[in-house]
Amino acid sequence: MNLTFSLIRVLRLAVILIVIPILSQAQQILDKPVAISVKGQPVSEVLKTISEQGKFYFSYNSNIVAGDSLVTLNVIQKPVRDVLNILFQDKYQYREKGDYVIILPAVKDRTIYISGYVIDQEGNAPVDYASVYSRQLLVSTMSGDDGHFRLRVRERGFPVNLVISKVGYADTTVVIGQPQREDMRILINQKAVDLDPLIVRYSEGQSTWLGRLFLSARTRMQSRNISRFFTALPYQASLTPGLGTHGKLSPQVVNKFSLNILGGYTAGVNGAELAGGFNISRQDVRYLQIAGAFNVVSGKVEGVQIAGFHNQIIDSLSGVQLSGFSGIVKKRVRGVQVSGFMNRARDTFEGVQVSGALGIIGGNGSGVQVSGAVNHTSGDFRGVQIGGAANRTRQSLQGMQITGGLNIVKNEMRGVQLGTFNSAKILRGFQLGVLNVADSSSGVSFGLINIIRKSTSNISVYATEITPLNVAWKMGTHRFYSILTAGADAGTEKRTYQFGFGVGKEFFPFKKVGFLTEFVNLNIYQGSWENTPFLYRFQTAVTWKPVKRFVIFAGPAYSFYHNDQKEPNPEYKTYPPGNYPSTKISDKVSSWLGWHGGVSWRYGRL
């Protein structure tokens, strides 16, 4: 019995002495340090070099490992295991057997669920709609009404750093070293709400009517919870917000390239973003953003933004914004805005704004503003406004306004207004229209009716060699005024009626004595509106002001008369009038020297 027991002990010892050294050597193969530097070499040659240095052999299936693939590798004294991980990027697993390292496909990663409850530490009550996420793994979920959450992670992701965020609570981080079978209990502490301006801005895009329509309440709540964590990645793709490569944490990721089939909700873009439906970005967008329906950006846009329907930028634009229907920028614009219906820049604008119907600038503007209907600038504007119906500047304008309807400058106008109706508070330029209005003017208003509120205008009654009774309304300033005039001679033998339009200028070299020059175009009615004769009349006069508001004037006039009528009407006067020096220029044109004189009543500010 004792002999048998002694023999067993000897055999055991022999096995231990033989096997342990062998196992020890085998286990050390993957830990052996090697150094290798190759460039563009086949994988099979690299493996051969590693095996020669480590004095072992590789065993692998050539259908699994592509031995002819070219690789570049440069490592110094790293373990074989680390070198293989660098070479194959964790695509395989490695097993040792004797003098061999066997290369096998990597084991598929298992899915693990982390679950638990989020509890208010002070009130010991469950916290609903708290965001539970991992910054490293980019996975997230939210707690339910009872505070319970369930988060899916990969087994190889452990240890996991979980962050719990909720508006009104301090961020809490929990480190989970290994999978847990039981629900966790995570306590979080209340904290005063911090109204950081950046956080408020990041939430504005999701709070627009488009954000509320296309983003779920849980998605918007999570964005408010996770307000300070953002990261950058090369790319992302999504079908809808939350259903994509970055899952529910896509609003926290800035991508270089983003592809959204129906729509996407991301932190921002530093490259290009394309969507069949819409793009919503919480931060800045650089270079290119295109959507079939709309783009909403909470930050800045630097580059090109294109949408089939609507573009909205909560911050500023430096670049080009093209919208099928409307484009809105809340702050400054430097660049180009083009839309089918409306463009709006709520702050300053520098560049070109082209709108199908309505163009609005909320602050000062410079450049070109063109719309099919109305242009409006709340501040000063420097440049050109072209509107189909109206142009309006609430402050001063330096440049030009062109419209078929109404031009308005509420303060100083330096430049040109071309429209049917023109209005400016202080005119230091030129107005051309049917009706021109200004409070005060040091420029020129040329139109059928010119009203300068803080200036003198005249109502004149006078006689000429043509008609003994004439009335004229002289509107504008003494520097330049327009004239509407009409006259008649209703004599029993010969009659004549005339009406017309003209312009003039007054000079005041002395306190009471001055002179004027005028040019008038008159239509002469002689019983028929067909082939009505017309007359061009240059006239000047000496003026005398016996009192402030009355002026007596008289002087010579020279007239050019054009008549296409073949036979004169015997009931009306013929021209040139008799007893005046005249010249016959052609069969239809004649001229003569005449006179005019009368009195004027001056109204307005003297």
Side-chain angles (χ1 to χ4, degrees):
M1 184 72 170
N2 291 333
L3 182 59
T4 303
F5 181 77
S6 298
L7 182 59
I8 293 174
R9 289 181 62 185
V10 171
L11 290 174
R12 256 183 215 173
L13 182 59
V15 169
I16 291 173
L17 292 175
I18 295 172
V19 173
I20 286 180
I22 296 175
L23 291 176
S24 298
Q25 171 141 8
Q27 289 298 326
Q28 292 175 356
I29 293 178
L30 290 173
D31 296 326
K32 288 183 177 181
V34 293
I36 185 168
S37 179
V38 295
K39 184 175 181 180
Q41 294 294 321
V43 169
S44 58
E45 292 297 325
V46 174
L47 293 176
K48 182 178 179 182
T49 302
I50 295 172
S51 65
E52 289 176 351
Q53 287 189 33
K55 300 186 183 306
F56 64 93
Y57 305 96
F58 281 108
S59 175
Y60 58 89
N61 188 337
S62 60
N63 293 326
I64 299 175
V65 179
D68 56 351
S69 298
L70 302 180
V71 296
T72 297
L73 190 64
N74 186 14
V75 294
I76 299 174
Q77 297 302 313
K78 284 185 175 290
V80 172
R81 179 184 289 102
D82 292 349
V83 175
L84 293 176
N85 286 334
I86 295 172
L87 181 63
F88 294 120
Q89 299 293 321
D90 297 331
K91 293 181 181 179
Y92 305 100
Q93 60 174 322
Y94 315 104
R95 292 182 182 176
E96 301 176 6
K97 189 172 183 180
D99 291 336
Y100 286 86
V101 172
I102 304 172
I103 302 177
L104 299 170
V107 177
K108 293 185 179 180
D109 202 5
R110 289 193 306 156
T111 297
I112 303 296
Y113 287 93
I114 300 174
S115 61
Y117 291 88
V118 180
I119 305 298
D120 184 322
Q121 185 171 10
E122 183 177 347
N124 197 31
V127 179
D128 59 353
Y129 296 105
S131 297
V132 182
Y133 64 98
S134 168
R135 297 181 178 183
Q136 291 76 21
L137 303 179
L138 283 180
V139 292
S140 69
T141 187
M142 294 188 75
S143 61
D145 294 338
D146 58 353
H148 187 266
F149 69 89
R150 192 165 184 259
L151 181 65
R152 185 175 67 176
V153 298
R154 295 292 183 182
E155 185 179 24
R156 63 179 176 179
F158 284 89
V160 176
N161 292 345
L162 281 189
V163 181
I164 295 85
S165 296
K166 167 76 174 178
V167 174
Y169 288 84
D171 286 357
T172 302
T173 301
V174 178
V175 179
I176 304 174
Q178 59 186 2
Q180 305 286 330
R181 293 185 179 182
E182 297 180 355
D183 286 340
M184 304 173 57
R185 182 181 172 88
I186 302 176
L187 302 178
I188 61 175
N189 296 308
Q190 294 186 18
K191 179 184 177 183
V193 177
D194 183 8
L195 295 178
D196 190 317
L198 291 178
I199 296 174
V200 173
R201 189 193 77 179
Y202 293 155
S203 67
E204 284 182 337
Q206 67 184 26
S207 299
T208 62
W209 69 274
L210 288 171
R212 293 193 302 271
L213 181 62
F214 288 92
L215 298 177
S216 68
R218 291 178 65 89
T219 300
R220 288 183 277 120
M221 175 63 73
Q222 175 150 292
S223 297
R224 287 193 290 269
N225 287 340
I226 312 174
S227 56
R228 298 181 184 275
F229 164 60
F230 294 97
T231 188
L233 290 174
Y235 64 89
Q236 80 93 28
S238 68
L239 179 63
T240 60
L243 186 59
T245 53
H246 300 333
K248 297 177 181 179
L249 281 183
S250 62
Q252 315 308 128
V253 182
V254 177
N255 306 283
K256 290 188 178 296
F257 178 77
S258 178
L259 177 63
N260 305 307
I261 306 303
L262 297 179
Y265 183 32
T266 65
V269 181
N270 191 22
E273 184 171 46
L274 309 176
F278 63 88
N279 296 307
I280 301 177
S281 300
R282 298 183 65 194
Q283 294 191 45
D284 302 334
V285 169
R286 296 182 65 191
Y287 305 125
L288 179 63
Q289 187 180 55
I290 301 175
F294 68 88
N295 294 305
V296 175
V297 178
S298 293
K300 302 175 183 178
V301 172
E302 297 179 3
V304 179
Q305 186 183 54
I306 303 173
F309 179 75
H310 176 72
N311 283 309
Q312 184 166 353
I313 302 172
I314 307 301
D315 203 287
S316 58
L317 168 68
S318 296
V320 179
Q321 186 184 66
L322 306 177
S323 313
F325 182 78
S326 57
I328 296 176
V329 180
K330 190 172 182 179
K331 294 185 179 179
R332 176 181 52 83
V333 173
R334 286 184 179 177
V336 178
Q337 270 189 308
V338 180
S339 76
F341 180 77
M342 180 190 75
N343 283 310
R344 183 176 183 181
R346 295 185 180 179
D347 206 329
T348 59
F349 183 93
E350 299 176 26
V352 178
Q353 188 182 67
V354 181
S355 313
L358 184 62
I360 300 173
I361 299 174
N364 297 329
S366 63
V368 179
Q369 194 178 23
V370 182
S371 74
V374 178
N375 289 312
H376 172 84
T377 300
S378 295
D380 299 328
F381 188 83
R382 298 182 64 182
V384 180
Q385 284 185 318
I386 303 174
N391 294 307
R392 185 172 188 263
T393 299
R394 291 189 63 182
Q395 297 299 324
S396 299
L397 184 139
Q398 184 175 347
M400 181 179 290
Q401 285 183 321
I402 303 173
T403 182
L406 176 64
N407 289 316
I408 299 175
V409 177
K410 299 295 288 185
N411 205 339
E412 184 180 59
M413 166 69 192
R414 290 180 177 268
V416 179
Q417 284 184 315
L418 304 178
T420 305
F421 305 100
N422 300 307
S423 174
K425 184 177 182 180
I426 303 171
L427 178 63
R428 303 186 189 278
F430 179 73
Q431 289 178 320
L432 175 62
V434 176
L435 173 62
N436 299 307
V437 179
D439 277 5
S440 62
S441 173
S442 60
V444 174
S445 298
F446 188 84
L448 189 64
I449 299 176
N450 303 301
I451 299 175
I452 311 299
R453 297 187 182 96
K454 297 179 180 179
S455 182
T456 56
S457 295
N458 297 336
I459 300 294
S460 300
V461 180
Y462 63 99
T464 70
E465 81 282 2
I466 303 172
T467 50
L469 179 61
N470 299 275
V471 178
W473 183 16
K474 301 179 180 181
M475 301 162 287
T477 67
H478 66 87
R479 299 181 187 88
F480 182 87
Y481 56 87
S482 62
I483 305 169
L484 287 179
T485 183
D489 183 358
T492 57
E493 296 182 0
K494 299 287 186 178
R495 293 174 291 170
T496 187
Y497 304 97
Q498 56 88 7
F499 60 93
F501 173 82
V503 294
K505 180 178 177 64
E506 291 182 305
F507 301 88
F508 296 101
F510 306 104
K511 185 176 181 179
K512 290 184 176 292
V513 179
F515 61 94
L516 59 82
T517 58
E518 296 174 344
F519 170 73
V520 183
N521 173 227
L522 299 174
N523 294 280
I524 310 298
Y525 180 75
Q526 293 191 325
S528 174
W529 293 109
E530 186 177 358
N531 298 324
T532 301
F534 59 89
L535 182 147
Y536 294 110
R537 187 174 176 89
F538 298 92
Q539 54 195 32
T540 185
V542 176
T543 63
W544 175 51
K545 293 188 295 182
V547 293
K548 281 187 176 182
R549 293 192 177 275
F550 282 92
V551 177
I552 300 173
F553 63 92
Y558 198 85
S559 301
F560 290 87
Y561 178 74
H562 183 278
N563 186 8
D564 283 332
Q565 292 181 344
K566 296 180 179 180
E567 295 183 4
N569 190 329
E571 297 181 359
Y572 290 83
K573 287 184 178 181
T574 58
Y575 299 97
N579 302 322
Y580 289 92
S582 62
T583 301
K584 190 174 182 61
I585 299 174
S586 67
D587 292 341
K588 296 181 179 181
V589 180
S590 57
S591 64
W592 67 89
L593 179 65
W595 60 272
H596 72 123
V599 296
S600 295
W601 174 63
R602 303 173 71 83
Y603 66 91
R605 190 179 69 175
L606 296 178

PDB file of all heavy atoms in Angstrom, residues 502-527:
ATOM      1  N   GLY A 502     -44.230 122.024 -66.321  1.00  0.00           N
ATOM      2  CA  GLY A 502     -42.933 122.635 -66.498  1.00  0.00           C
ATOM      3  C   GLY A 502     -42.081 122.559 -65.245  1.00  0.00           C
ATOM      4  O   GLY A 502     -42.485 122.018 -64.207  1.00  0.00           O
ATOM      5  N   VAL A 503     -40.876 123.100 -65.337  1.00  0.00           N
ATOM      6  CA  VAL A 503     -39.943 123.161 -64.216  1.00  0.00           C
ATOM      7  C   VAL A 503     -39.335 124.551 -64.177  1.00  0.00           C
ATOM      8  O   VAL A 503     -39.327 125.281 -65.194  1.00  0.00           O
ATOM      9  CB  VAL A 503     -38.830 122.099 -64.335  1.00  0.00           C
ATOM     10  CG1 VAL A 503     -39.400 120.699 -64.224  1.00  0.00           C
ATOM     11  CG2 VAL A 503     -38.058 122.258 -65.652  1.00  0.00           C
ATOM     12  N   GLY A 504     -38.845 124.941 -62.993  1.00  0.00           N
ATOM     13  CA  GLY A 504     -38.262 126.262 -62.874  1.00  0.00           C
ATOM     14  C   GLY A 504     -37.320 126.377 -61.689  1.00  0.00           C
ATOM     15  O   GLY A 504     -37.183 125.462 -60.875  1.00  0.00           O
ATOM     16  N   LYS A 505     -36.683 127.568 -61.616  1.00  0.00           N
ATOM     17  CA  LYS A 505     -35.733 127.837 -60.539  1.00  0.00           C
ATOM     18  C   LYS A 505     -35.781 129.327 -60.226  1.00  0.00           C
ATOM     19  O   LYS A 505     -35.859 130.165 -61.136  1.00  0.00           O
ATOM     20  CB  LYS A 505     -34.321 127.421 -60.960  1.00  0.00           C
ATOM     21  CG  LYS A 505     -33.248 127.669 -59.906  1.00  0.00           C
ATOM     22  CD  LYS A 505     -31.905 127.174 -60.409  1.00  0.00           C
ATOM     23  CE  LYS A 505     -30.792 127.474 -59.402  1.00  0.00           C
ATOM     24  NZ  LYS A 505     -30.986 126.757 -58.135  1.00  0.00           N
ATOM     25  N   GLU A 506     -35.745 129.647 -58.908  1.00  0.00           N
ATOM     26  CA  GLU A 506     -35.757 131.028 -58.460  1.00  0.00           C
ATOM     27  C   GLU A 506     -34.388 131.430 -57.923  1.00  0.00           C
ATOM     28  O   GLU A 506     -33.694 130.613 -57.308  1.00  0.00           O
ATOM     29  CB  GLU A 506     -36.801 131.238 -57.360  1.00  0.00           C
ATOM     30  CG  GLU A 506     -38.230 131.132 -57.849  1.00  0.00           C
ATOM     31  CD  GLU A 506     -39.214 131.398 -56.728  1.00  0.00           C
ATOM     32  OE1 GLU A 506     -39.116 130.699 -55.694  1.00  0.00           O
ATOM     33  OE2 GLU A 506     -40.065 132.285 -56.873  1.00  0.00           O
ATOM     34  N   PHE A 507     -34.024 132.693 -58.146  1.00  0.00           N
ATOM     35  CA  PHE A 507     -32.770 133.246 -57.643  1.00  0.00           C
ATOM     36  C   PHE A 507     -33.104 134.468 -56.792  1.00  0.00           C
ATOM     37  O   PHE A 507     -33.964 135.274 -57.155  1.00  0.00           O
ATOM     38  CB  PHE A 507     -31.854 133.668 -58.796  1.00  0.00           C
ATOM     39  CG  PHE A 507     -31.514 132.541 -59.731  1.00  0.00           C
ATOM     40  CD1 PHE A 507     -32.352 132.252 -60.810  1.00  0.00           C
ATOM     41  CD2 PHE A 507     -30.376 131.776 -59.551  1.00  0.00           C
ATOM     42  CE1 PHE A 507     -32.044 131.217 -61.680  1.00  0.00           C
ATOM     43  CE2 PHE A 507     -30.060 130.753 -60.421  1.00  0.00           C
ATOM     44  CZ  PHE A 507     -30.899 130.463 -61.488  1.00  0.00           C
ATOM     45  N   PHE A 508     -32.418 134.628 -55.664  1.00  0.00           N
ATOM     46  CA  PHE A 508     -32.659 135.754 -54.761  1.00  0.00           C
ATOM     47  C   PHE A 508     -31.341 136.452 -54.437  1.00  0.00           C
ATOM     48  O   PHE A 508     -30.791 136.308 -53.336  1.00  0.00           O
ATOM     49  CB  PHE A 508     -33.329 135.276 -53.469  1.00  0.00           C
ATOM     50  CG  PHE A 508     -34.698 134.700 -53.677  1.00  0.00           C
ATOM     51  CD1 PHE A 508     -34.899 133.324 -53.705  1.00  0.00           C
ATOM     52  CD2 PHE A 508     -35.785 135.545 -53.869  1.00  0.00           C
ATOM     53  CE1 PHE A 508     -36.158 132.807 -53.891  1.00  0.00           C
ATOM     54  CE2 PHE A 508     -37.053 135.024 -54.061  1.00  0.00           C
ATOM     55  CZ  PHE A 508     -37.243 133.655 -54.074  1.00  0.00           C
ATOM     56  N   PRO A 509     -30.814 137.231 -55.371  1.00  0.00           N
ATOM     57  CA  PRO A 509     -29.566 137.957 -55.068  1.00  0.00           C
ATOM     58  C   PRO A 509     -29.765 139.087 -54.071  1.00  0.00           C
ATOM     59  O   PRO A 509     -28.820 139.521 -53.419  1.00  0.00           O
ATOM     60  CB  PRO A 509     -29.135 138.490 -56.435  1.00  0.00           C
ATOM     61  CG  PRO A 509     -30.404 138.588 -57.214  1.00  0.00           C
ATOM     62  CD  PRO A 509     -31.287 137.471 -56.742  1.00  0.00           C
ATOM     63  N   PHE A 510     -31.021 139.558 -53.955  1.00  0.00           N
ATOM     64  CA  PHE A 510     -31.312 140.648 -53.028  1.00  0.00           C
ATOM     65  C   PHE A 510     -32.466 140.228 -52.125  1.00  0.00           C
ATOM     66  O   PHE A 510     -33.146 139.234 -52.372  1.00  0.00           O
ATOM     67  CB  PHE A 510     -31.655 141.933 -53.788  1.00  0.00           C
ATOM     68  CG  PHE A 510     -30.602 142.333 -54.783  1.00  0.00           C
ATOM     69  CD1 PHE A 510     -30.818 142.126 -56.145  1.00  0.00           C
ATOM     70  CD2 PHE A 510     -29.393 142.886 -54.369  1.00  0.00           C
ATOM     71  CE1 PHE A 510     -29.856 142.480 -57.071  1.00  0.00           C
ATOM     72  CE2 PHE A 510     -28.434 143.238 -55.304  1.00  0.00           C
ATOM     73  CZ  PHE A 510     -28.656 143.033 -56.659  1.00  0.00           C
ATOM     74  N   LYS A 511     -32.692 140.997 -51.090  1.00  0.00           N
ATOM     75  CA  LYS A 511     -33.699 140.627 -50.102  1.00  0.00           C
ATOM     76  C   LYS A 511     -35.100 140.618 -50.693  1.00  0.00           C
ATOM     77  O   LYS A 511     -35.879 139.709 -50.452  1.00  0.00           O
ATOM     78  CB  LYS A 511     -33.629 141.590 -48.924  1.00  0.00           C
ATOM     79  CG  LYS A 511     -34.568 141.221 -47.780  1.00  0.00           C
ATOM     80  CD  LYS A 511     -34.377 142.159 -46.604  1.00  0.00           C
ATOM     81  CE  LYS A 511     -35.302 141.758 -45.465  1.00  0.00           C
ATOM     82  NZ  LYS A 511     -35.131 142.633 -44.275  1.00  0.00           N
ATOM     83  N   LYS A 512     -35.444 141.623 -51.476  1.00  0.00           N
ATOM     84  CA  LYS A 512     -36.792 141.712 -52.029  1.00  0.00           C
ATOM     85  C   LYS A 512     -36.847 141.502 -53.529  1.00  0.00           C
ATOM     86  O   LYS A 512     -37.913 141.254 -54.091  1.00  0.00           O
ATOM     87  CB  LYS A 512     -37.403 143.080 -51.695  1.00  0.00           C
ATOM     88  CG  LYS A 512     -37.735 143.276 -50.217  1.00  0.00           C
ATOM     89  CD  LYS A 512     -38.418 144.614 -50.011  1.00  0.00           C
ATOM     90  CE  LYS A 512     -38.844 144.782 -48.553  1.00  0.00           C
ATOM     91  NZ  LYS A 512     -39.935 143.843 -48.206  1.00  0.00           N
ATOM     92  N   VAL A 513     -35.739 141.614 -54.198  1.00  0.00           N
ATOM     93  CA  VAL A 513     -35.698 141.530 -55.667  1.00  0.00           C
ATOM     94  C   VAL A 513     -34.909 140.293 -56.083  1.00  0.00           C
ATOM     95  O   VAL A 513     -33.843 139.995 -55.526  1.00  0.00           O
ATOM     96  CB  VAL A 513     -35.085 142.796 -56.286  1.00  0.00           C
ATOM     97  CG1 VAL A 513     -35.026 142.665 -57.806  1.00  0.00           C
ATOM     98  CG2 VAL A 513     -35.878 144.017 -55.882  1.00  0.00           C
ATOM     99  N   GLY A 514     -35.449 139.617 -57.064  1.00  0.00           N
ATOM    100  CA  GLY A 514     -34.792 138.439 -57.613  1.00  0.00           C
ATOM    101  C   GLY A 514     -35.270 138.190 -59.016  1.00  0.00           C
ATOM    102  O   GLY A 514     -35.833 139.073 -59.679  1.00  0.00           O
ATOM    103  N   PHE A 515     -35.051 136.981 -59.506  1.00  0.00           N
ATOM    104  CA  PHE A 515     -35.558 136.630 -60.836  1.00  0.00           C
ATOM    105  C   PHE A 515     -35.752 135.120 -60.891  1.00  0.00           C
ATOM    106  O   PHE A 515     -35.293 134.363 -60.034  1.00  0.00           O
ATOM    107  CB  PHE A 515     -34.626 137.127 -61.937  1.00  0.00           C
ATOM    108  CG  PHE A 515     -33.240 136.561 -61.883  1.00  0.00           C
ATOM    109  CD1 PHE A 515     -32.891 135.430 -62.622  1.00  0.00           C
ATOM    110  CD2 PHE A 515     -32.261 137.169 -61.101  1.00  0.00           C
ATOM    111  CE1 PHE A 515     -31.621 134.917 -62.566  1.00  0.00           C
ATOM    112  CE2 PHE A 515     -30.980 136.646 -61.051  1.00  0.00           C
ATOM    113  CZ  PHE A 515     -30.653 135.510 -61.780  1.00  0.00           C
ATOM    114  N   LEU A 516     -36.450 134.660 -61.932  1.00  0.00           N
ATOM    115  CA  LEU A 516     -36.735 133.241 -62.106  1.00  0.00           C
ATOM    116  C   LEU A 516     -36.571 132.872 -63.574  1.00  0.00           C
ATOM    117  O   LEU A 516     -36.644 133.726 -64.469  1.00  0.00           O
ATOM    118  CB  LEU A 516     -38.152 132.905 -61.623  1.00  0.00           C
ATOM    119  CG  LEU A 516     -39.342 133.620 -62.279  1.00  0.00           C
ATOM    120  CD1 LEU A 516     -39.763 132.989 -63.607  1.00  0.00           C
ATOM    121  CD2 LEU A 516     -40.527 133.632 -61.324  1.00  0.00           C
ATOM    122  N   THR A 517     -36.332 131.600 -63.805  1.00  0.00           N
ATOM    123  CA  THR A 517     -36.317 131.031 -65.159  1.00  0.00           C
ATOM    124  C   THR A 517     -37.167 129.771 -65.140  1.00  0.00           C
ATOM    125  O   THR A 517     -37.118 128.995 -64.184  1.00  0.00           O
ATOM    126  CB  THR A 517     -34.900 130.685 -65.622  1.00  0.00           C
ATOM    127  OG1 THR A 517     -34.324 129.761 -64.694  1.00  0.00           O
ATOM    128  CG2 THR A 517     -34.033 131.935 -65.695  1.00  0.00           C
ATOM    129  N   GLU A 518     -37.922 129.580 -66.219  1.00  0.00           N
ATOM    130  CA  GLU A 518     -38.832 128.430 -66.285  1.00  0.00           C
ATOM    131  C   GLU A 518     -38.880 127.877 -67.696  1.00  0.00           C
ATOM    132  O   GLU A 518     -38.685 128.615 -68.679  1.00  0.00           O
ATOM    133  CB  GLU A 518     -40.249 128.846 -65.850  1.00  0.00           C
ATOM    134  CG  GLU A 518     -40.353 129.286 -64.414  1.00  0.00           C
ATOM    135  CD  GLU A 518     -41.727 129.816 -64.050  1.00  0.00           C
ATOM    136  OE1 GLU A 518     -42.514 130.121 -64.982  1.00  0.00           O
ATOM    137  OE2 GLU A 518     -42.004 129.942 -62.837  1.00  0.00           O
ATOM    138  N   PHE A 519     -39.142 126.569 -67.747  1.00  0.00           N
ATOM    139  CA  PHE A 519     -39.396 125.898 -69.030  1.00  0.00           C
ATOM    140  C   PHE A 519     -40.728 125.174 -68.889  1.00  0.00           C
ATOM    141  O   PHE A 519     -40.922 124.390 -67.967  1.00  0.00           O
ATOM    142  CB  PHE A 519     -38.287 124.904 -69.363  1.00  0.00           C
ATOM    143  CG  PHE A 519     -38.609 124.017 -70.531  1.00  0.00           C
ATOM    144  CD1 PHE A 519     -38.595 124.528 -71.819  1.00  0.00           C
ATOM    145  CD2 PHE A 519     -38.959 122.692 -70.337  1.00  0.00           C
ATOM    146  CE1 PHE A 519     -38.906 123.711 -72.906  1.00  0.00           C
ATOM    147  CE2 PHE A 519     -39.279 121.877 -71.407  1.00  0.00           C
ATOM    148  CZ  PHE A 519     -39.245 122.387 -72.695  1.00  0.00           C
ATOM    149  N   VAL A 520     -41.660 125.442 -69.838  1.00  0.00           N
ATOM    150  CA  VAL A 520     -43.004 124.894 -69.749  1.00  0.00           C
ATOM    151  C   VAL A 520     -43.382 124.261 -71.081  1.00  0.00           C
ATOM    152  O   VAL A 520     -43.100 124.822 -72.158  1.00  0.00           O
ATOM    153  CB  VAL A 520     -44.039 125.981 -69.382  1.00  0.00           C
ATOM    154  CG1 VAL A 520     -45.422 125.360 -69.214  1.00  0.00           C
ATOM    155  CG2 VAL A 520     -43.632 126.720 -68.116  1.00  0.00           C
ATOM    156  N   ASN A 521     -44.011 123.088 -71.002  1.00  0.00           N
ATOM    157  CA  ASN A 521     -44.588 122.433 -72.180  1.00  0.00           C
ATOM    158  C   ASN A 521     -46.105 122.549 -72.086  1.00  0.00           C
ATOM    159  O   ASN A 521     -46.715 122.053 -71.130  1.00  0.00           O
ATOM    160  CB  ASN A 521     -44.155 120.977 -72.231  1.00  0.00           C
ATOM    161  CG  ASN A 521     -44.866 120.201 -73.331  1.00  0.00           C
ATOM    162  OD1 ASN A 521     -45.355 119.109 -73.097  1.00  0.00           O
ATOM    163  ND2 ASN A 521     -44.941 120.764 -74.527  1.00  0.00           N
ATOM    164  N   LEU A 522     -46.744 123.199 -73.094  1.00  0.00           N
ATOM    165  CA  LEU A 522     -48.180 123.457 -73.077  1.00  0.00           C
ATOM    166  C   LEU A 522     -48.868 122.728 -74.222  1.00  0.00           C
ATOM    167  O   LEU A 522     -48.328 122.631 -75.335  1.00  0.00           O
ATOM    168  CB  LEU A 522     -48.467 124.959 -73.200  1.00  0.00           C
ATOM    169  CG  LEU A 522     -47.913 125.854 -72.083  1.00  0.00           C
ATOM    170  CD1 LEU A 522     -48.149 127.313 -72.426  1.00  0.00           C
ATOM    171  CD2 LEU A 522     -48.560 125.505 -70.755  1.00  0.00           C
ATOM    172  N   ASN A 523     -50.048 122.172 -73.925  1.00  0.00           N
ATOM    173  CA  ASN A 523     -50.929 121.627 -74.948  1.00  0.00           C
ATOM    174  C   ASN A 523     -52.017 122.668 -75.243  1.00  0.00           C
ATOM    175  O   ASN A 523     -52.672 123.173 -74.320  1.00  0.00           O
ATOM    176  CB  ASN A 523     -51.570 120.337 -74.477  1.00  0.00           C
ATOM    177  CG  ASN A 523     -50.547 119.234 -74.295  1.00  0.00           C
ATOM    178  OD1 ASN A 523     -50.121 118.599 -75.244  1.00  0.00           O
ATOM    179  ND2 ASN A 523     -50.122 119.034 -73.052  1.00  0.00           N
ATOM    180  N   ILE A 524     -52.229 122.989 -76.529  1.00  0.00           N
ATOM    181  CA  ILE A 524     -53.182 124.016 -76.948  1.00  0.00           C
ATOM    182  C   ILE A 524     -54.425 123.318 -77.502  1.00  0.00           C
ATOM    183  O   ILE A 524     -54.366 122.636 -78.542  1.00  0.00           O
ATOM    184  CB  ILE A 524     -52.587 124.948 -78.015  1.00  0.00           C
ATOM    185  CG1 ILE A 524     -51.219 125.474 -77.569  1.00  0.00           C
ATOM    186  CG2 ILE A 524     -53.547 126.090 -78.311  1.00  0.00           C
ATOM    187  CD1 ILE A 524     -51.253 126.305 -76.311  1.00  0.00           C
ATOM    188  N   TYR A 525     -55.536 123.475 -76.795  1.00  0.00           N
ATOM    189  CA  TYR A 525     -56.785 122.856 -77.256  1.00  0.00           C
ATOM    190  C   TYR A 525     -57.484 123.801 -78.240  1.00  0.00           C
ATOM    191  O   TYR A 525     -57.753 124.960 -77.925  1.00  0.00           O
ATOM    192  CB  TYR A 525     -57.701 122.568 -76.077  1.00  0.00           C
ATOM    193  CG  TYR A 525     -59.003 121.930 -76.483  1.00  0.00           C
ATOM    194  CD1 TYR A 525     -59.053 120.592 -76.859  1.00  0.00           C
ATOM    195  CD2 TYR A 525     -60.178 122.688 -76.498  1.00  0.00           C
ATOM    196  CE1 TYR A 525     -60.256 120.016 -77.247  1.00  0.00           C
ATOM    197  CE2 TYR A 525     -61.385 122.122 -76.881  1.00  0.00           C
ATOM    198  CZ  TYR A 525     -61.410 120.774 -77.251  1.00  0.00           C
ATOM    199  OH  TYR A 525     -62.600 120.201 -77.647  1.00  0.00           O
ATOM    200  N   GLN A 526     -57.834 123.273 -79.426  1.00  0.00           N
ATOM    201  CA  GLN A 526     -58.496 124.069 -80.463  1.00  0.00           C
ATOM    202  C   GLN A 526     -59.702 123.339 -81.044  1.00  0.00           C
ATOM    203  O   GLN A 526     -59.885 123.262 -82.246  1.00  0.00           O
ATOM    204  CB  GLN A 526     -57.508 124.428 -81.576  1.00  0.00           C
ATOM    205  CG  GLN A 526     -56.427 125.393 -81.092  1.00  0.00           C
ATOM    206  CD  GLN A 526     -55.607 125.951 -82.227  1.00  0.00           C
ATOM    207  OE1 GLN A 526     -55.348 125.248 -83.208  1.00  0.00           O
ATOM    208  NE2 GLN A 526     -55.203 127.210 -82.118  1.00  0.00           N
ATOM    209  N   GLY A 527     -60.490 122.754 -80.139  1.00  0.00           N
ATOM    210  CA  GLY A 527     -61.745 122.141 -80.550  1.00  0.00           C
ATOM    211  C   GLY A 527     -61.659 120.650 -80.785  1.00  0.00           C
ATOM    212  O   GLY A 527     -62.698 119.991 -80.963  1.00  0.00           O
TER     213      GLY A 527
END
